[in-house]
């Protein structure tokens, strides 16, 4: 028999209330007033975290369910031995479980599709229905996300600039960084930041003017990986440019060391710098803050539980160890455990296009001379 999430949630609430009334003080009616009495030290406390349908709430400490997908290394991916026996893995996963070092909290990290978290300009069905309390490693963007969602404090610096990918023909982009995109079609990576609505908010780093007159289009490919669908759409000629993280093409370069389980076309992405490249990079105007631990329903109150723990954990050596393990110490918030030579390192995607010294063959085209 199918039950709606609301019915399941009410059933869970009833079980919690029943647990509160069982064996906790004298709950029989008083002799004169008809009121019940309880021992103050055994008084039943409310839920310790937002309640989810089908999930037993924490009884002694908050139990927080944080979901992630597995196709965004090093932030969220499928762990393989010896790191993990095919459990979810990544920076978000490691920091989430690290919170137990500084807070009395339980954390569970199931796999969930990104589309269950944020999908085509609106909150995803899974997050809205309460499959998880929050989704990990989302960028706190401007625009539509702020109307639907709350965000925890960031776990990484404001380190996820956006960029524009275009096709290369004989090593030359179909149009260069001086183009304002007027009359062109730009494909969105559905469900991912930078969100489609934020392209209008950023500045062309070559002309110092905002982009205008473009049309955002949906991918014409329909596979399970949103970035792959968008790149296929670009390479098939169904879009002129792709609005995407400025480091995404770099992060999707496959390795042969057995540490990666890609669900994208490694051969197509290997064309970075040969068949496609960025003509704009270092675009920060789409986001308010960097990568966060948890994105949740607006009004959830999840940040009130997580943020004090994050404040403590980001000052630990364990935080540094996680950043070092995943090869991104320069993206993290430095604390006393970070060597000075591993902080404030600026990598190519972080540079504005007019600051680049690379070439299109490197995957990052500079502004035209």
């Amino acid at each position: 028999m199918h039950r709606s999430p609301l019915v399941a949630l009410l059933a869970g609430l009833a079980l919690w209330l029943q647990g509160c009334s069982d064996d906790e003080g004298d709950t029989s009616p008083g002799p004169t007033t008809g009121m019940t009495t309880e021992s103050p030290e055994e008084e039943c406390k409310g839920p310790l975290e937002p309640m989810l349908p089908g999930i037993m709430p924490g009884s002694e400490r908050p139990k927080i369910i944080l979901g992630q997908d597995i196709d965004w290394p090093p932030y969220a991916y499928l762990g393989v031995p010896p790191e993990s026996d095919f459990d979810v893995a990544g920076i978000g996963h490691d920091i989430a479980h690290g919170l137990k070092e500084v807070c009395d909290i339980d954390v569970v990290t199931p796999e969930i599709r990104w589309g269950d978290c944020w999908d085509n300009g609106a909150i995803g069905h899974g997050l809205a229905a309460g499959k998880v309390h929050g989704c990990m490693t989302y960028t706190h963007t401007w625009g539509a996300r702020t109307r639907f969602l709350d965000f925890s404090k960031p776990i990484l610096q404001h380190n996820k600039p956006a960029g524009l990918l275009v096709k290369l023909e004989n090593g030359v982009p179909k149009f260069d960084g001086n183009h304002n995109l007027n009359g062109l079609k730009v494909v969105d990576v559905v469900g991912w930041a930078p969100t489609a609505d934020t392209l209008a908010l950023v500045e062309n780093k070559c002309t110092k003017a905002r982009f205008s007159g473009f049309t955002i289009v949906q991918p014409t490919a329909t596979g399970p990986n949103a970035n792959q669908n968008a790149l296929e759409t670009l390479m098939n000629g169904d879009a002129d440019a792709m609005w995407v993280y400025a480091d995404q093409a770099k992060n999707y370069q496959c390795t042969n060391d057995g540490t990666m389980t890609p669900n994208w076309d490694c051969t197509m992405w290997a064309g970075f710098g040969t068949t496609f490249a960025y003509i704009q990079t270092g675009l920060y105007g789409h986001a308010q803050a960097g990568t966060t631990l948890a994105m949740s329903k607006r009004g959830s109150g999840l940040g009130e539980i997580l943020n004090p723990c994050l404040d403590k954990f980001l000052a630990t050596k364990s935080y540094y160890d996680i950043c070092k393990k995943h090869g991104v110490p320069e993206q993290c918030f430095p604390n006393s455990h970070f060597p000075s030579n591993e902080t404030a390192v600026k990598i190519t995607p972080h540079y504005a296009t007019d600051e680049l010294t690379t070439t299109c063959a490197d995957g990052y085209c500079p502004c035209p001379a």
Side-chain angles (χ1 to χ4, degrees), residues 81-167:
E83 178 189 15
S84 169
D85 290 341
F86 302 105
D87 194 3
V88 298
I91 296 171
H93 166 275
D94 290 355
I95 291 177
H97 287 278
L99 297 184
K100 291 177 280 189
E101 178 181 324
V102 295
C103 281
D104 189 20
I105 188 173
D106 289 329
V107 178
V108 182
T109 50
E111 182 177 344
I112 191 173
R113 299 282 78 83
W114 295 131
D116 269 326
C117 300
W118 179 257
D119 188 34
N120 201 18
I123 186 173
H125 173 75
L127 188 55
K131 285 186 177 181
V132 292
H133 286 114
C135 296
M136 295 191 288
T137 66
Y138 272 80
T139 302
H140 188 175
T141 61
W142 295 104
R145 284 187 179 176
T146 61
R147 301 195 296 271
F148 291 91
L149 303 161
D150 286 338
F151 293 84
S152 73
K153 289 185 175 181
I155 55 175
L156 299 174
Q157 296 190 54
H158 193 355
N159 68 317
K160 299 301 294 182
L164 286 167
L165 284 173
V166 302
K167 288 178 68 173

Side-chain angles (χ1 to χ4, degrees), residues 235-272:
M235 301 308 291
N236 290 341
D238 294 327
D240 302 296
M242 176 176 164
W243 177 229
V244 62
Y245 280 131
D247 62 355
Q248 194 64 39
K250 173 179 173 291
N251 289 338
Y252 266 32
Q253 298 306 300
C254 298
T255 62
N256 297 316
D257 58 8
T259 61
M260 185 180 293
T261 51
N263 68 342
W264 58 88
D265 185 338
C266 293
T267 301
M268 179 175 287
W269 286 91
F272 182 47

Side-chain angles (χ1 to χ4, degrees), residues 28-46:
S28 61
T32 57
T33 64
M35 301 294 290
T36 61
T37 61
E38 287 185 336
S39 302
E41 63 272 16
E42 295 181 348
E43 183 178 353
C44 186
K45 298 180 180 179

Side-chain angles (χ1 to χ4, degrees), residues 168 272-274 276-278 348 357-365:
L168 297 178
F272 182 47
T274 305
F276 64 94
Y278 289 96
T348 300
T357 58
T358 52
T359 69
C360 293
D362 300 308
Y364 294 92
C365 302

Side-chain angles (χ1 to χ4, degrees), residues 208-227:
K208 307 304 180 184
R210 286 189 173 187
F211 298 104
S212 62
F214 56 86
T215 300
I216 293 288
V217 298
Q218 299 290 296
T220 52
T222 58
N225 185 299
N227 285 277

